[in-house]
Amino acid sequence: QVQLVESGGGLVQAGGPLRLFCVASRTTLSLITTSWYRQAPGKQREAVATITSGGSINYADSVRGRFTISRDNAKNTVYLQMNSLKPEDTAVYYCKSVSSSTTYWGQGTHVTVSS
């Protein structure tokens, strides 16, 4: 079964950077679409950034210009570089992929941005 493992979360001051990692097993991320989502306390889960197999990228308006999604095919890893972090970016960040019409989620990594 496909497994996604996120890491890189933590506590950071507002304005600082953080880099998240999504490592996949039993699937090849370069062949599918992978997305980062986040869920803040008391809020619905929302899409943050997406990268397709062809390399097309989309961002939520709230993070465009601050976050960058990228992929290392050799490491089967998708990254989310987060810069200029704001307290409102505080959330659990999840990696999601769709493979053979099945959606897979990682367990999430916590990001806390202090003001």
Side-chain angles (χ1 to χ4, degrees):
Q1 183 169 340
V2 173
Q3 187 175 21
L4 303 174
V5 179
E6 304 98 330
S7 62
L11 174 64
V12 62
Q13 287 191 332
L18 208 57
R19 193 183 199 195
L20 305 184
F21 303 78
C22 173
V23 180
S25 58
R26 302 185 186 88
T27 191
T28 301
L29 292 181
S30 62
L31 301 180
I32 59 178
T33 294
T34 305
S35 301
W36 283 99
Y37 279 69
R38 67 185 180 186
Q39 187 166 18
K43 295 188 177 181
Q44 288 190 329
R45 193 171 297 190
E46 62 175 356
V48 174
T50 297
I51 184 167
T52 69
S53 58
S56 296
I57 290 173
N58 282 295
Y59 296 101
D61 289 342
S62 59
V63 306
R64 187 174 290 110
R66 300 188 298 122
F67 290 11
T68 301
I69 188 171
S70 62
R71 183 175 63 217
D72 185 330
N73 295 338
K75 295 182 178 180
N76 210 25
T77 300
V78 169
Y79 307 94
L80 186 67
Q81 178 66 44
M82 306 186 294
N83 297 327
S84 303
L85 281 162
K86 305 175 181 179
E88 51 264 43
D89 294 318
T90 295
V92 179
Y93 284 71
Y94 298 90
C95 183
K96 187 194 92 169
S97 70
V98 180
S99 178
S100 300
S101 302
T102 302
T103 299
Y104 298 94
W105 292 91
Q107 82 290 346
T109 185
H110 290 256
V111 173
T112 302
V113 184
S114 64
S115 58

